[in-house]
Amino acid sequence: MKRNEVHSGHLNRKPRRFGYLGPSLLGIGVVVAARLLGLFQPLEWAALDAGLRWRSPEQTDDRIVIVGIDEADIQAIGAYPIPDGVLAELLQHLHRYEPRVIGLDIFRDLPVEPGHDELVAAFNQIEPLVAAESVVPDRAGSTVNPPPTFPSERVGFVDNVLDDDGHVRRSLLGTATPDGDYQFSLAVRLAMAYLQPEGIELNNGIHDPVALRFGSVELPRVHPHSGGYINTDAGGNQTLLNYRSGAAPFRMVSLRDVLSQNVDSEWFRDRIVLIGVTASSKKDFFQSSAVASSNPGLVFGVEVQAHSISQILSAVLDGRSLLRVWGDGWEYSWIIFWGLAGIAASRLIKRLSVHYGTVAIASLGLIGLGYGGLLIGWWFPVMPALAAFLFNGVILHAFYVYNQSLQSRIRDRQQVIEKTFTAIHNGPLQTLASLIREAENPEVSQLVLQKDLQQLNQELRNIYTAVQNEVTQETRLYLHGESSLDLTTPLHELLYEVYADTLQRDFPNFAGLKVKVVKFEPFDEASLSPEDKRDLCRFLEEALCNVGKHATGASRLMIDCRYDGEVNLIRVADNGSVLNGDDGDGDGRDGEAIAHPSDASGLNTVSSQTLSKVKIKPSIGRGTLQAKSLAEQLGGTFERFPLSPQGTCCELKWPPRRSLIQKISQFISVLRKGNG
């Protein structure tokens, strides 16, 4: 490796500031893509069910009464399906209680003897009665007709829309029938019958003309990408089902209780009465984790109809929230926002305990926002947002911490290499350079050479101790001699100690120095780390060693170390001759003088105006490369240029780095001085 290709540890000190953004943004993109592919659907459905189930219990909706035909009723009757005569008797009893409307959630497209004639008579006599049909073909393509001769306006379908996991989360309000007509559900028919005496009619929506509207309440339609759904079948007119919470959302009585008149007539008067099967053996139930039931996860079909009716009545008459969703743009903006929040948490919070505590609190806050949204009727994407947040806030952060630890170990090794090379460069290599010159001089005695070789031997043996001390004691600077400096000391004091120590070293050109003009004044040390101070001290040591080795015939030395009000400055200048070569590995100093003015005032002042800079042909060695890297690290500049009529100047400048608070404080201080 050529000497001007020697790697400097300073070049690796600045990590890529935004290198983490690529994987983080990719993570957000993966989450968004996964949601677009429907991978989050099961999680979002489960979150919706859990949020609805965890709500505090609501009062029983006494506008709806369910007459459930349970196992005991079937055993008492001794037959199933329930004979038409028994249903006719049940309808007659209920009619005497003067309900506002009766819904029969039992198919009666075919007679079930005995008692079919009595049931037909009851159908004709009881006008506020709505019968059930099925209009959505099953797997075999079959549907179920309503009772014969029943008018279509008194018929409603009881078909339910199932999600891929078999759960019911949507209510089908209206759909086209196989024969081309349009039919409403049993729930809509019963709600219409109940609300009509209140002067509330069914109309088309205003914001969405296809939606259904009762008075001013528009039932929001489900679209293929509503909420957590991705490419779902949104055929017909569907709305999300906002189940009523609580263990007893509706009053339920048995068929036996009604026939034996073991009920209060006021329970039924002016109410909606639903008749359906609640016997588990007949399997007229659906899966739903959104409600608490006697059979966990299962809800009887007649109860699903009751929830759908109650949702409409409660929204129209009580102002209860319907379930709504955001538009796609808002949902994906929400997910991206939480992904960016994970990035911010990873980058801004350095302490691991605080970071993971913040992530945990934010995650719980996100879940709380999702739950609170359901309480006021909004279903927005919690699980994808949580995934994006945790991916960037936990998973990528763990990889980032691991990578930082790995990079830190690499930097530590590089620093050891750098410190070792610096120790060799500023010690044994300098002695070796002197030995080479002495060996070329026939007038130098063997005793002098032997003395220098012994010094070189000792310096090489001291390398390990010096490097180990600097690595293990990061706030100490070890000089060429046995002494060390505390790097927490002000910089100008450290530099003076380095100057005093270096000029005691046995370099040939130090002996001829007659005039030393030195200035060590305080620096603006804002944001300077102990390692920065160490590097600055090594820079001064390197510059002085170059003077001692290569400034042939130098009689004057000027050192200027201070803050001049704008920048920090370290300047070392001499009036020795300029030689070709590199910067101190033994051959000479960086650069070759080309042409310069014929006269200058010398080095009698420390003003930079007396220094005449001349272009030089670059021949970059390790010292210059290291000095330039240090300047880049500090955000400043480094220059080495010849002086006129002869001499060399090394100059390092860097601006103080201040935080916003420090800048404000400085500005206030300047204002105060101005006012004073």
Side-chain angles (χ1 to χ4, degrees):
M1 178 182 292
K2 296 180 181 179
R3 280 177 293 171
N4 60 354
E5 294 176 346
V6 175
H7 182 72
S8 174
H10 300 303
L11 298 177
N12 283 338
R13 284 202 181 164
K14 289 188 177 180
R16 296 190 315 176
R17 294 181 59 189
F18 302 105
Y20 63 91
L21 277 180
S24 299
L25 295 178
L26 178 62
I28 297 175
V30 168
V31 171
V32 170
R35 188 172 193 259
L36 288 171
L37 293 173
L39 301 183
F40 281 100
Q41 264 193 153
L43 290 175
E44 294 197 72
W45 290 342
L48 173 64
D49 293 342
L52 295 177
R53 187 175 64 251
W54 291 342
R55 293 175 302 175
S56 58
E58 299 177 76
Q59 290 183 346
T60 299
D61 189 348
D62 58 5
R63 291 170 297 215
I64 301 171
V65 180
I66 298 175
V67 177
I69 301 173
D70 57 19
E71 296 287 354
D73 291 331
I74 294 173
Q75 293 296 325
I77 294 169
Y80 190 85
I82 302 298
D84 288 351
V86 176
L87 284 182
E89 183 182 1
L90 174 63
L91 291 173
Q92 292 293 351
H93 275 80
L94 292 174
H95 184 54
R96 285 193 291 270
Y97 294 143
E98 299 179 352
R100 190 173 293 191
V101 64
I102 299 173
L104 183 61
D105 186 16
I106 297 175
F107 294 128
R108 272 300 180 264
D109 56 327
L110 298 173
V112 181
E113 298 291 356
H116 180 64
D117 291 339
E118 289 85 347
L119 181 60
V120 172
F123 284 166
N124 293 330
Q125 177 188 0
I126 303 172
E127 186 172 335
L129 174 64
V130 180
E133 67 173 342
S134 173
V135 298
V136 178
D138 61 12
R139 292 182 178 179
S142 303
T143 59
V144 180
N145 294 323
T149 71
F150 228 72
S152 61
E153 64 271 13
R154 292 175 56 194
V155 174
F157 62 80
V158 292
D159 301 281
N160 287 297
V161 182
L162 302 182
D163 290 331
D164 291 342
D165 60 356
H167 286 58
V168 177
R169 298 183 181 89
R170 294 170 281 166
S171 177
L172 183 60
L173 304 176
T175 186
T177 61
D179 58 7
D181 293 332
Y182 193 86
Q183 181 61 288
F184 293 112
S185 68
L186 178 67
V188 171
R189 290 291 185 189
L190 294 175
M192 290 170 61
Y194 187 89
L195 293 172
Q196 189 173 13
E198 307 288 339
I200 300 174
E201 302 289 341
L202 176 64
N203 293 286
N204 289 107
I206 297 175
H207 301 290
D208 180 2
V210 182
L212 303 182
R213 176 172 59 89
F214 287 94
S216 61
V217 176
E218 191 170 307
L219 305 179
R221 283 195 304 140
V222 171
H223 298 281
H225 295 277
S226 290
Y229 289 100
I230 302 295
N231 290 325
T232 192
D233 182 3
N237 198 319
Q238 305 176 28
T239 191
L240 291 171
L241 190 51
N242 190 5
Y243 286 97
R244 197 171 189 87
S245 63
F250 312 105
R251 187 187 303 279
M252 185 178 293
V253 298
S254 67
L255 183 148
R256 303 184 316 280
D257 291 335
V258 176
L259 294 181
S260 64
Q261 300 184 26
N262 188 24
V263 292
D264 187 344
S265 61
E266 292 301 319
W267 293 351
F268 303 92
R269 185 168 287 110
D270 211 29
R271 306 295 202 277
I272 295 174
V273 179
L274 269 174
I275 303 171
V277 177
T278 57
S280 298
S281 63
K282 306 312 171 188
K283 301 187 183 305
D284 184 16
F285 49 70
F286 296 89
Q287 295 185 68
S288 176
S289 301
V291 294
S293 64
S294 56
N295 294 323
L298 299 178
V299 182
F300 291 111
V302 67
E303 290 182 290
V304 174
Q305 297 299 324
H307 280 285
S308 185
I309 300 166
S310 177
Q311 169 175 273
I312 297 173
L313 299 184
S314 298
V316 175
L317 300 177
D318 305 333
R320 183 175 180 264
S321 298
L322 297 163
L323 284 180
R324 304 177 184 276
V325 298
W326 291 345
D328 286 349
W330 286 106
E331 289 188 339
Y332 287 102
S333 296
W334 171 259
I335 295 170
I336 292 171
F337 166 80
W338 280 96
L340 296 176
I343 296 175
S346 295
R347 301 304 301 170
L348 298 179
I349 305 174
K350 302 303 181 184
R351 290 185 57 186
L352 284 180
S353 59
V354 177
H355 170 77
Y356 287 114
T358 301
V359 168
I361 293 172
S363 300
L364 292 175
L366 174 56
I367 296 172
L369 287 173
Y371 177 69
L374 289 178
L375 294 181
I376 59 175
W378 286 98
W379 180 29
F380 48 82
V382 172
M383 303 311 294
L386 185 61
F389 178 71
L390 293 179
F391 183 82
N392 284 327
V394 176
I395 298 176
L396 278 187
H397 183 262
F399 281 107
Y400 173 76
V401 170
Y402 171 77
N403 182 64
Q404 288 293 96
S405 176
L406 182 62
Q407 293 297 325
S408 178
R409 291 197 295 271
I410 293 174
R411 284 194 298 270
D412 289 344
R413 290 184 180 182
Q414 182 62 41
Q415 286 180 4
V416 171
I417 294 172
E418 182 70 20
K419 293 178 190 302
T420 303
F421 194 90
T422 300
I424 294 173
H425 181 268
N426 292 348
L429 281 183
Q430 309 294 353
T431 304
L432 182 61
S434 298
L435 274 169
I436 292 173
R437 285 192 297 271
E438 291 170 352
E440 294 173 349
N441 187 354
E443 298 180 0
V444 177
S445 67
Q446 291 296 318
L447 290 176
V448 173
L449 289 174
Q450 185 178 5
K451 177 183 176 183
D452 287 347
L453 284 171
Q454 290 174 349
Q455 179 181 344
L456 177 61
N457 176 65
Q458 187 60 43
E459 288 176 351
L460 288 172
R461 294 177 182 276
N462 290 339
I463 290 295
Y464 173 78
T465 303
V467 172
Q468 184 183 47
N469 288 336
E470 288 203 355
V471 170
T472 57
Q473 301 183 43
E474 296 182 354
T475 60
R476 304 296 299 180
L477 170 67
Y478 286 83
L479 301 177
H480 183 261
E482 299 296 328
S483 61
S484 65
L485 302 177
D486 184 356
L487 290 173
T488 60
T489 304
L491 179 59
H492 68 286
E493 296 182 14
L494 292 173
L495 294 176
Y496 180 81
E497 294 295 335
V498 170
Y499 157 76
D501 179 80
T502 306
L503 257 66
Q504 293 177 6
R505 297 173 66 173
D506 187 18
F507 288 128
N509 297 316
F510 284 162
L513 294 176
K514 305 301 182 183
V515 178
K516 302 185 184 85
V517 181
V518 297
K519 179 180 287 189
F520 292 93
E521 295 181 353
F523 290 82
D524 189 325
E525 300 182 29
S527 303
L528 279 184
S529 66
E531 191 63 29
D532 292 332
K533 290 184 177 181
R534 185 195 309 278
D535 293 339
L536 290 167
C537 290
R538 292 305 184 195
F539 167 79
L540 178 61
E541 181 185 31
E542 164 84 7
L544 292 173
C545 286
N546 278 339
V547 173
K549 291 186 300 178
H550 308 302
T552 304
S555 61
R556 289 193 295 268
L557 174 67
M558 183 193 74
I559 300 176
D560 192 5
C561 299
R562 58 191 169 86
Y563 174 61
D564 66 3
E566 295 183 1
V567 295
N568 292 305
L569 169 70
I570 298 178
R571 179 187 294 137
V572 177
D574 64 77
N575 65 344
S577 62
V578 179
L579 300 178
N580 299 342
D582 66 285
D583 65 344
D585 289 346
D587 299 329
R589 288 190 281 184
D590 274 332
E592 176 183 347
I594 298 177
H596 50 75
S598 59
D599 189 25
S601 58
L603 301 173
N604 294 325
T605 71
V606 296
S607 172
S608 61
Q609 296 177 353
T610 64
L611 303 178
S612 177
K613 302 180 183 180
V614 184
K615 290 184 179 180
I616 62 172
K617 184 191 301 182
S619 175
I620 300 177
R622 183 183 184 282
T624 298
L625 184 62
Q626 191 173 27
K628 288 185 175 180
S629 299
L630 176 58
E632 181 183 356
Q633 171 191 333
L634 298 174
T637 60
F638 166 75
E639 293 180 281
R640 174 182 279 117
F641 49 89
L643 301 174
S644 125
Q646 70 175 24
T648 302
C649 179
C650 292
E651 186 175 84
L652 176 66
K653 295 180 180 179
W654 75 95
R657 293 173 292 182
R658 297 187 180 89
S659 65
L660 179 61
I661 295 177
Q662 289 172 323
K663 290 179 180 178
I664 294 174
S665 300
Q666 183 187 31
F667 178 72
I668 294 174
S669 177
V670 171
L671 288 180
R672 286 178 176 173
K673 290 180 179 178
N675 292 333

